[in-house]
Amino acid sequence: MTKRLEFIASLINNEDSVIDIGTDHGYLLILLNKKGIKCMGTDIHQKALSSALNNLKEYHLEKKIPLVLTDGLNNIKIDDYNTLVIAGMGYNTIKHILNKSYNIKKIIVQSNNDYDKLRLLFNNLEYKIDKEYIIEDKKHLYHIISYLKGREVLAKEEILFGKYNKEYQKYYQQDLEKLKEILKSIPDNHQKTILEIKEKINILEKYIGAVQ
Ligand SMILES: C[S@@+](CC[C@H](N)C(=O)[O-])C[C@H]1O[C@@H](n2cnc3c(N)ncnc32)[C@H](O)[C@@H]1O
């Protein structure tokens, strides 16, 4: 089991019942079952579900944890569950899956990219950030966001970089350095891009300067 999946499992509480969308190997389902959490998995690819089924069988869980071949939440009775996990996918796939607002209490999302677009998407779907985490697993950085149903107004900087968290200074610094490098490589006639990057640099410098 990866540290990333164990971390996601740690965000699930006793009162949660979970649909793991795009479960693939089904490892998260095995971790959740160990915690006594009701859960099911879906995947769009039969090969992925077969791998999940084989893994569930190893733990004699094949009759206990439903697996459904489907695109996102299509044909799933979501009223029987109150939490979604969507992990290990790109923003466009996540957007395709969450194509309307569901009446689900909690969503844990780990996108592989485009966190700013993701924050905007969830804000529009009327979910508010409960907490955002950055974890390192085998030299990879993962952003994991726990959302609760509800509205919130996010400032532009919060959409771009998440809510300020002093624990994440190191990552703000890394992002800042990357942006400074990118800025050097942009030709002078791309003024719009230059201004956008400068704005991001300003925000990150503000975040970094905010440390106590
Ligand atoms: C990289 S795996 C991530 C597996 C697991 N969630 C994790 O975080 O380790 C992405 C999985 O999402 C599935 N997937 C992609 N698009 C999907 C969709 N529209 N509906 C359901 N599953 C989808 C893929 O088939 C694949 O098994």
Side-chain angles (χ1 to χ4, degrees):
M1 300 293 171
T2 64
K3 183 176 162 188
R4 175 183 63 89
L5 288 175
E6 279 173 352
F7 188 84
I8 291 173
S10 78
L11 301 177
I12 305 293
N13 307 314
N14 285 341
E15 68 272 15
D16 299 339
S17 47
V18 176
I19 307 174
D20 180 24
I21 304 174
T23 192
D24 198 354
H25 36 66
Y27 291 147
L28 182 69
L29 300 172
I30 294 166
L31 289 173
L32 293 177
N33 177 75
K34 220 169 158 183
K35 291 179 68 170
I37 308 282
K38 173 181 159 180
C39 58
M40 67 166 291
T42 78
D43 208 287
I44 200 169
H45 290 121
Q46 182 58 55
K47 210 172 152 208
L49 276 193
S50 302
S51 137
L53 184 62
N54 283 337
N55 289 328
L56 292 188
K57 278 183 180 164
E58 267 191 47
Y59 293 81
H60 308 291
L61 294 174
E62 70 275 15
K63 294 206 173 91
K64 194 169 173 200
I65 301 181
L67 294 173
V68 179
L69 181 68
T70 189
D71 181 354
L73 286 165
N74 289 349
N75 307 318
I76 302 291
K77 250 182 97 194
I78 59 173
D79 291 351
D80 294 344
Y81 297 85
N82 62 21
T83 301
L84 304 178
V85 173
I86 312 177
M89 286 172 230
Y91 166 76
N92 285 330
T93 308
I94 295 170
K95 185 169 181 250
H96 164 79
I97 291 170
L98 292 179
N99 52 11
K100 62 176 189 193
S101 194
Y102 294 96
N103 192 20
I104 277 271
K105 183 190 74 165
K106 175 169 167 178
I107 305 181
I108 310 285
V109 64
Q110 181 258 307
S111 174
N112 291 335
N113 56 7
D114 289 342
Y115 313 120
D116 50 345
K117 290 186 192 164
L118 188 82
R119 292 186 195 98
L120 206 53
L121 171 73
F122 275 79
N123 194 259
N124 289 333
L125 291 170
E126 299 187 346
Y127 279 88
K128 58 183 180 194
I129 298 173
D130 173 34
K131 197 144 188 227
E132 179 159 350
Y133 308 85
I134 303 173
I135 64 151
E136 285 183 51
D137 186 6
K138 298 195 190 99
K139 301 211 166 129
H140 271 88
L141 286 185
Y142 296 100
H143 283 246
I144 299 170
I145 312 181
S146 165
Y147 278 102
L148 294 174
K149 188 80 195 154
R151 288 176 197 213
E152 70 179 337
V153 176
L154 289 178
K156 188 166 183 193
E157 59 219 53
E158 293 173 324
I159 289 172
L160 288 172
F161 297 108
K163 292 186 182 175
Y164 171 74
N165 182 339
K166 70 172 182 224
E167 286 169 42
Y168 297 146
Q169 286 291 327
K170 179 172 118 186
Y171 306 115
Y172 301 143
Q173 192 69 49
Q174 284 172 3
D175 282 349
L176 178 66
E177 260 128 53
K178 268 189 233 152
L179 284 171
K180 283 183 173 169
E181 279 309 306
I182 294 170
L183 190 61
K184 281 189 211 157
S185 65
I186 298 176
D188 283 351
N189 57 347
H190 288 65
Q191 272 307 311
K192 190 167 172 268
T193 314
I194 290 175
L195 286 175
E196 278 166 12
I197 294 181
K198 281 187 172 166
E199 187 186 12
K200 288 183 182 174
I201 288 176
N202 277 338
I203 294 170
L204 282 173
E205 283 177 340
K206 227 169 66 185
Y207 270 27
I208 290 162
V211 71
Q212 302 297 318

